Amino acid sequence: MTFLDDMTIGLISRVLEAHTGQTITEDRSWRVATVLMPLFREHDISTGSQLVAAMTGPGSEAFVGAMVDALLNNETYFFRDIGVFDTLRQTVLPDLARKVGERRKLAIWSAGCSTGQEALSLAMIFADQPQQWKGWRIEIMATDVSAKAIRAARAGIYSQFEVQRGLGVAQMLRHFDEAPGGWKVRPDLSRMVRFATHNLLDTAPKPGQFDLILCRNVLLYFDAARRTAAFERLSAALKPHGLLLLGGGETAGNHCGYLAARDDAFGLYSLVNRPAAAPAMR
């Protein structure tokens, strides 16, 4: 699509940034035409002026929403980076259980959950250790900026390819029922997870209420100022003993003075100084 020149991609990038806080970096600009081509064909768009009209004219809200959804990287699968989930199962969650003591309740936030596989993988950890977690109340909140991804997560139906990607046959049969269109999450698992749309640059959904937050492979796409703001909001959402787990290519670095890296797991941070709830930033 020759009309997608640098100026047009810059316009698209500003729209994405305004809606999500994410930017289209130079190393991601190559995929813009690929992911948007089906949408442009559907709306018979082949010039820059037609694109601008679609983004500003009647029905523009739905079009822009579809464009933003297409640009977001919703790559995910069950137990993605299995070593991370092994660490959660063997070290992080037992450690948190000791810290909360007799309260016997854990609140977890899967931020940037995409179509739900990460949150459901967490739920499976608890469901597959029934004796260890007997009598516990487990609440998993899963959010994403993409309304389309959240709709898919709430539906809880995954294709054969999706359920086999990261799950063994026994685990698949234990937690899913065959359904039209694929495999549907069983109610005992889905009851642990609540899905909602949320932008990381908005105020945290439950300030000061989470024992553990997973925010993996999301902040890579933020510029420095927005990354700092996101860390502030994530930190504000943690309880005093709370932990934040980032993705393999991410670090809190100099972006946040509220967190300290843990030695027992890569990408794991403890809260050292919780900020006050911050206003939304876009």
Side-chain angles (χ1 to χ4, degrees):
M1 289 191 173
T2 55
F3 75 90
L4 284 180
D5 54 17
D6 290 346
M7 184 177 296
T8 309
I9 290 177
L11 173 62
I12 293 170
S13 180
R14 288 193 292 276
V15 170
L16 177 68
E17 188 172 352
H19 282 76
T20 70
Q22 297 190 19
T23 57
I24 299 175
T25 56
E26 188 174 343
D27 62 332
R28 294 177 69 203
S29 61
W30 64 270
R31 65 185 294 271
V32 172
T34 301
V35 299
L36 292 182
M37 191 178 300
L39 181 66
F40 291 165
R41 285 175 177 163
E42 179 186 345
H43 291 266
D44 197 24
I45 294 171
S46 58
T47 67
S49 59
Q50 289 174 337
L51 175 59
V52 171
M55 293 169 62
T56 58
S60 60
E61 185 176 342
F63 176 81
V64 169
M67 188 172 70
V68 168
D69 273 334
L71 289 167
L72 292 171
N73 182 6
N74 287 321
E75 167 68 7
T76 187
Y77 51 90
F78 291 104
F79 292 97
R80 183 180 184 182
D81 303 324
I82 187 61
V84 170
F85 286 93
D86 288 341
T87 299
L88 287 169
R89 182 189 296 108
Q90 298 165 8
T91 305
V92 175
L93 293 174
D95 181 48
L96 285 173
R98 286 189 290 271
K99 287 180 177 177
V100 302
E102 295 302 315
R103 185 163 55 89
R104 299 176 75 79
K105 174 186 172 183
L106 285 178
I108 302 172
W109 179 15
S110 171
C113 70
S114 186
T115 47
Q117 285 93 323
E118 178 179 85
L120 292 170
S121 298
L122 283 165
M124 281 184 238
I125 289 178
F126 296 103
D128 289 341
Q129 296 179 317
Q131 292 306 312
Q132 182 172 340
W133 299 104
K134 184 177 181 180
W136 281 78
R137 182 178 173 187
I138 307 299
E139 296 178 351
I140 301 171
M141 183 171 194
T143 65
D144 198 274
V145 71
S146 169
K148 180 180 178 181
I150 291 300
R151 286 195 297 271
R154 284 174 175 162
I157 297 177
Y158 299 90
S159 68
Q160 185 75 30
F161 172 76
E162 288 172 322
V163 293
Q164 288 183 326
R165 196 178 180 200
L167 295 179
V169 173
Q171 203 167 30
M172 179 184 77
L173 294 175
R174 187 159 61 246
H175 297 299
F176 294 80
D177 291 318
E178 198 165 5
W183 293 80
K184 185 171 180 60
V185 180
R186 288 187 173 173
D188 60 330
L189 201 67
S190 61
R191 276 195 293 267
M192 274 190 260
V193 186
R194 183 166 71 88
F195 292 104
T197 54
H198 178 264
N199 190 314
L200 283 175
L201 297 179
D202 290 340
T203 303
K206 291 184 178 181
Q209 294 301 307
F210 291 102
D211 301 287
L212 173 66
I213 299 174
L214 279 72
C215 185
R216 302 192 300 149
N217 308 310
V218 178
L219 303 180
L220 290 170
Y221 306 114
F222 287 19
D223 62 23
R226 286 177 171 81
R227 196 175 298 130
T228 298
F231 275 123
E232 185 175 51
R233 285 147 183 77
L234 291 167
S235 301
L238 288 169
K239 291 183 177 179
H241 61 264
L243 300 173
L244 170 67
L245 182 61
L246 300 178
E250 298 169 312
T251 176
N254 296 322
H255 295 289
C256 180
Y258 307 111
L259 301 162
R262 293 264 297 241
D263 295 330
D264 50 344
F266 183 77
L268 189 66
Y269 291 81
S270 296
L271 182 68
V272 293
N273 180 26
R274 188 173 66 210
M281 171 191 176
R282 296 294 181 92

